Amino acid sequence: TFRNAINMGPDPFMTHYDGSYYLATTQGDAVRMWKAPTVGQLLTAEPITVWQDPDPTHDEQVWAPSFHLVGDHWYLYYTASDGIDDHHRIYVAESEGTDPLGPYHYKGRLAAPGAAELWAIDQELLRQGSDLYLLWSGKSGAVQRRAVTGSRAGSSSGRATRASGGSPSRANGSTAARGGAAGPASGRGR
């Protein structure tokens, strides 16, 4: 029987920053991180709740957190719903500074242009040179697809490319669904 030597939680994300390892896994009701000076010590580290969304429209089924330092802030990406699986969407919170443990404040809901009502999960940020891309999985009806949304910080239009085969689909427009800009890779394009 295999036992994960670091953490038993699903959807793990780990990074190393300023001499420590930080790990987050799906916890269901909040985003929790473990911090330790070595990978091996993550197993015995105490979890720290870094974000619990107060909005009941997206404070349940919190899945697949990832966090990335962009500039002077950490951006915490996560999937959440109101408890109904079909309502899963991608959200982002922004740190007050450069500590991965926060504190964080809600930045916005992320959606690719033309896909605001699409079921969306399992987001990940990809850096390619100075460009940022949000990779994610979306579903419409019974068809689940992977997608890539391009971004360049400060721009105001976006494009989404279906990455699961067939012809790429593209759409333009604003994609941050609450309170304006939603941080790097907010679905805002090049």
Side-chain angles (χ1 to χ4, degrees):
T1 301
F2 175 78
R3 175 177 157 79
N4 188 321
I6 299 173
N7 187 292
M8 295 301 293
D11 303 321
F13 180 87
M14 183 173 65
T15 195
H16 185 264
Y17 176 74
D18 202 24
S20 293
Y21 289 89
Y22 295 84
L23 172 72
T25 65
T26 291
Q27 298 292 300
D29 64 339
V31 176
R32 292 180 183 82
M33 286 187 198
W34 289 260
K35 175 185 176 184
T38 68
V39 171
Q41 290 174 309
L42 287 169
L43 184 62
T44 58
E46 289 295 318
I48 299 164
T49 301
V50 297
W51 177 249
Q52 192 159 21
D53 202 315
D55 187 328
T57 65
H58 48 85
D59 69 345
E60 296 184 46
Q61 298 177 323
V62 179
W63 297 348
S66 65
F67 44 99
H68 301 272
L69 182 63
V70 180
D72 294 330
H73 299 279
W74 286 89
Y75 290 88
L76 173 62
Y77 299 91
Y78 61 99
T79 300
S81 75
D82 58 1
I84 299 170
D85 185 48
D86 286 344
H87 296 171
H88 267 100
R89 302 297 185 267
I90 299 170
Y91 299 92
V92 64
E94 180 185 54
S95 71
E96 299 296 327
T98 59
D99 186 349
L101 298 176
Y104 286 88
H105 62 271
Y106 180 78
K107 193 70 174 168
R109 179 177 138 191
L110 306 185
E117 296 310 313
L118 200 69
W119 180 85
I121 64 167
D122 295 343
Q123 66 291 329
E124 185 52 65
L125 192 67
L126 170 68
R127 296 175 201 229
Q128 187 71 27
S130 62
D131 293 333
L132 299 173
Y133 297 89
L134 188 69
L135 293 80
W136 52 281
S137 179
K139 179 173 71 171
S140 179
V143 178
Q144 185 169 350
R145 298 190 169 123
R146 294 165 302 283
V148 178
T149 302
S151 175
R152 182 172 289 153
S155 62
S156 61
S157 65
R159 74 177 181 194
T161 302
R162 190 175 73 202
S164 61
S167 301
S169 59
R170 296 172 189 255
N172 291 313
S174 176
T175 60
R178 293 178 197 246
S186 63
R188 295 165 188 235
R190 315 178 335 110

